[in-house]
Amino acid sequence: AQTVTQSQPEMSVQEAETVTLSCTYDTSESDYYLFWYKQPPSRQMILVIRQEAYKQQNATENRFSVNFQKAAKSFSLKISDSQLGDAAMYFCASSTGANSKLTFGKGITLSVRP
Amino acid sequence: KAGVTQTPRYLIKTRGQQVTLSCSPISGHRSVSWYQQTPGQGLQFLFEYFSETQRNKGNFPGRFSGRQFSNSRSEMNVSTLELGDSALYLCASRYRGQNTEAFFGQGTRLTVV
């Protein structure tokens, strides 16, 4: 079974600054994928970034990057140059190579101060 | 390309009734998954359908069921509604399998009174 833990329920960041959202996971599988999803007030989940466990290089998508520490089972999201539109709930999630089911963490509410 | 469409967006039902929610995936996508989102339990996987067959199922009672049609559209049914079934129900579609990105709809907000 997979578990995903997000221990910080809320975070706040000043516009233009950098913030890191934490996530830890547990899985017995060797083939798995990790994701960060954003859920704005519109409720639609949007994929921010994904990481394949077999890739050592950390994934990057524009202002979003991850710090994937496989041995520590840690998968944090860094948002650089934070913008007001980044304010949302962020969910860390995992799935295995054999099972497309997504296992989500509880989420973190990110607010951005102008 | 149209996104994932869920209907209706909002629904109010009475305890004991049944409800059917609909999800139209992105054109060409064959996998449809359903998730329940509540403040207390977070996001929980209900089931996944691929090419009209249930491929995976979460830990929900038998009152929760689903199906997928030949055009990949999916419906989810909840019978004998309970107050605890009040939630946001999200549908996600994938082109094919596990390694492809899941695209989510905006969800159906179900309130049971």
Side-chain angles (χ1 to χ4, degrees), chain B:
Chain B
K1 205 176 202 181
V4 179
T5 303
Q6 290 188 248
T7 57
R9 292 288 306 280
Y10 301 91
L11 208 48
I12 300 175
K13 288 288 188 178
T14 302
R15 194 169 41 180
Q17 287 186 314
Q18 75 165 16
V19 67
T20 299
L21 312 183
S22 178
C23 172
S24 293
I26 291 171
S27 177
H29 285 198
R30 294 165 62 189
S31 165
V32 174
S33 297
W34 289 88
Y35 292 84
Q36 181 196 64
Q37 185 176 17
T38 60
Q41 297 299 316
L43 281 147
Q44 294 185 286
F45 173 77
L46 281 153
F47 28 64
E48 182 202 6
Y49 286 87
F50 182 83
S51 294
E52 302 179 65
T53 301
Q54 188 179 86
R55 185 158 71 173
N56 207 349
K57 189 177 188 307
N59 296 323
F60 277 82
R63 300 184 297 107
F64 292 81
S65 62
R67 59 178 175 169
Q68 187 179 34
F69 302 95
S70 58
N71 62 358
S72 292
R73 188 178 71 87
S74 177
E75 287 183 346
M76 190 192 97
N77 185 275
V78 188
S79 62
T80 319
L81 283 165
E82 300 177 359
L83 296 178
D85 296 333
S86 295
L88 178 66
Y89 290 88
L90 291 166
C91 162
S93 82
R94 274 191 165 99
Y95 170 63
R96 182 178 287 184
Q98 299 83 342
N99 301 342
T100 56
E101 179 181 346
F103 292 85
F104 283 82
Q106 289 189 283
T108 294
R109 171 76 68 187
L110 171 65
T111 302
V112 183
V113 298

Side-chain angles (χ1 to χ4, degrees), chain A residues 41-52:
Chain A
S42 68
R43 308 179 321 203
Q44 185 159 17
M45 301 282 278
I46 302 164
L47 179 65
V48 175
I49 200 164
R50 68 176 254 167
Q51 174 83 43
E52 291 88 346

Side-chain angles (χ1 to χ4, degrees), chain A residues 7-80:
Chain A
S7 55
Q8 308 155 300
E10 296 179 355
M11 284 197 77
S12 180
V13 63
Q14 191 75 36
E15 193 176 6
E17 301 209 333
T18 296
V19 65
T20 298
L21 311 182
S22 301
C23 172
T24 58
Y25 65 93
D26 196 15
T27 179
S28 56
E29 303 288 333
S30 58
D31 180 19
Y32 59 91
Y33 303 83
L34 298 167
F35 309 85
W36 277 97
Y37 278 91
K38 171 185 177 182
Q39 188 178 41
S42 68
R43 308 179 321 203
Q44 185 159 17
M45 301 282 278
I46 302 164
L47 179 65
V48 175
I49 200 164
R50 68 176 254 167
Q51 174 83 43
E52 291 88 346
Y54 64 85
K55 289 187 178 178
Q56 293 189 339
Q57 187 173 6
N58 290 327
T60 300
E61 288 287 341
N62 302 313
R63 299 183 294 107
F64 300 88
S65 62
V66 298
N67 184 2
F68 175 43
Q69 299 290 325
K70 195 170 184 177
K73 294 185 177 178
S74 169
F75 183 62
S76 60
L77 174 70
K78 185 171 84 170
I79 306 174
S80 305

